[in-house]
Amino acid sequence: MGAISIKELSFSYTDHNQSYLALDNVNLQINDGEFVCLIGHSGCGKTTLLKILAGLMLPDKGEIRLGDRLLQGPGTDRAVVFQHYSLFPWMTVLQNVEFGIRQAKKKMPKRQAQQLALKYLDKVGMAAFSAKYPYQLSGGMQQRVAIARALAMDAEILLLDEPFGALDTKRRKDLQRLLEQLWNNGGQRKTVLFVTHDIDEAILLADRIIFMRPGKITACLKVPYERPRKQEEISKSPNYEKLKADLQQLFYLDSELKKHEEDL
C-alpha cells in the first residue's frame, strides 16, 4: 500500500566543518492514495525530505514506513522526479524511459517495455525525440522525459520535486492534467508528495497542502474542491482567494518569525 508515515525524523549535514539541521523532528502522515503538495521557502528542507523518502539519504533519527514496511533504501515502489534533470547521458530518450520500466517491471518483455515507453513519451509530447540524447534537448524537454519515465514505472508512490518548474505555461497545464489523470488511475489512486513554489498549482492538484519553515512542518490546509478540477473554474469559487491568501500569509509570517529570531 502507498501510505507514508514519517515519525520524529531529523537530518543534519555538514558544510565547511559546520553542522546544519535540515529537518528537525518532522512528523507527517500521508494516506494511501492521497495527493499532498509541500510548499515553503527555498532551503526549508523540502528536497531533503524527498531525498530521504526516495531512499537516497539516511536520517539521523526517526523512521519512515511505507504501508507496513520500514523504509531502508531506494525501491521501485517509488518513482522520483527531481528539479535537476536526472537522465542517463549515454542513453537515448527512449532508452531512458525504457530503463525505468525495466527496473520496475523486470518480467516485462523488451518489446512491450519499448511500446510502453513510447506511449508515455507521446503523452508528454516527446515521442518525436525518442532517438535523441539528453545533450540534444533543452532543459524543459529533458524534464518531460524524466516525468515520462517516472509515470511509466506505475509506482505506488510518486515523489515530485518541482517537476514542472522548467516548462512553458502550456506544457505545464497539459502535464498537470495528465498527472491528475494518471494519479487517479481509474479510481485506484497513487500516493503523491509534490513539491512546488506555485500556490495556484498546489491548490489545483492537492488534497492537502503542507507548509514548511526551515526544518519543520508548521501548517496543513485541506483543499475543498471536488475532482476533476479546472483552474479557470475553481479560481472563481468564493473561497479560492481566501485559501490562496492564507497560504501566501504563511510565507510572510515565516519571514516575520525569522526576522524576529534574528533580532533576539
Side-chain angles (χ1 to χ4, degrees):
M1 301 294 285
I4 301 172
S5 178
I6 301 170
K7 294 184 179 179
E8 299 178 356
L9 195 74
S10 293
F11 179 84
S12 57
Y13 65 93
T14 301
D15 185 27
H16 293 93
N17 296 320
Q18 186 170 353
S19 181
Y20 297 90
L21 187 61
L23 297 173
D24 182 13
N25 200 41
V26 170
N27 292 277
L28 178 63
Q29 180 71 38
I30 300 175
N31 298 323
D32 184 30
E34 190 175 20
F35 199 126
V36 172
C37 279
L38 191 60
I39 66 172
H41 290 295
S42 297
C44 70
K46 303 184 299 296
T47 296
T48 298
L49 181 58
L50 251 68
K51 286 182 177 179
I52 293 174
L53 285 167
L56 302 177
M57 301 189 306
L58 295 175
D60 299 332
K61 76 177 191 71
E63 69 170 31
I64 298 174
R65 289 191 174 274
L66 307 177
D68 58 359
R69 309 184 311 276
L70 186 66
L71 188 152
Q72 296 180 315
T76 55
D77 56 344
R78 284 149 285 152
V80 188
V81 179
F82 290 117
Q83 54 187 304
H84 302 295
Y85 323 122
S86 55
L87 303 179
F88 298 117
W90 60 89
M91 292 184 182
T92 65
V93 163
L94 180 61
Q95 289 169 341
N96 264 282
V97 179
E98 194 178 343
F99 177 83
I101 296 169
R102 296 294 295 276
Q103 293 300 304
K105 306 174 185 293
K106 295 185 183 297
K107 295 182 179 180
M108 180 176 285
K110 181 175 176 59
R111 179 62 178 167
Q112 188 178 347
Q114 187 178 78
Q115 290 173 342
L116 186 60
L118 284 169
K119 173 185 173 181
Y120 277 87
L121 284 170
D122 184 58
K123 287 178 180 290
V124 300
M126 289 299 295
F129 301 89
S130 62
K132 299 289 187 182
Y133 287 88
Y135 77 89
Q136 296 175 300
L137 307 176
S138 69
M141 294 168 80
Q142 290 186 52
Q143 191 69 330
R144 281 151 61 193
V145 176
I147 292 165
R149 182 173 62 188
L151 295 177
M153 289 174 64
D154 194 29
E156 295 176 5
I157 296 171
L158 294 175
L159 304 173
L160 307 170
D161 189 3
E162 296 189 71
F164 307 146
L167 305 180
D168 62 74
T169 300
K170 182 183 183 304
R171 289 293 181 191
R172 186 172 190 140
K173 289 183 179 297
D174 289 345
L175 288 175
Q176 285 169 345
R177 285 193 293 269
L178 175 63
L179 176 60
E180 186 176 21
Q181 290 167 7
L182 295 175
W183 160 75
N184 192 45
N185 194 29
Q188 297 179 335
R189 292 176 169 175
K190 301 179 183 299
T191 303
V192 179
L193 184 59
F194 185 106
V195 172
T196 181
H197 281 101
D198 187 324
I199 290 176
D200 290 304
E201 181 172 67
I203 296 174
L204 177 67
L205 295 174
D207 295 316
R208 282 189 298 151
I209 301 173
I210 305 296
F211 184 83
M212 284 187 72
R213 63 178 302 269
K216 295 179 179 292
I217 290 173
T218 58
C220 172
L221 287 81
K222 289 187 177 181
V223 180
Y225 307 113
E226 294 184 358
R227 298 180 187 273
R229 298 172 186 165
K230 292 184 179 180
Q231 184 70 54
E232 58 271 21
E233 292 179 0
I234 63 173
S235 62
K236 295 176 183 177
S237 66
N239 60 350
Y240 185 87
E241 288 302 323
K242 182 182 185 308
L243 177 58
K244 187 173 179 178
D246 288 344
L247 289 164
Q248 289 173 332
Q249 187 64 19
L250 288 171
F251 282 91
Y252 291 112
L253 288 173
D254 184 47
S255 298
E256 288 299 315
L257 180 58
K258 184 176 180 181
K259 182 178 182 299
H260 176 69
E261 289 173 345
E262 290 173 349
D263 289 341
L264 292 177

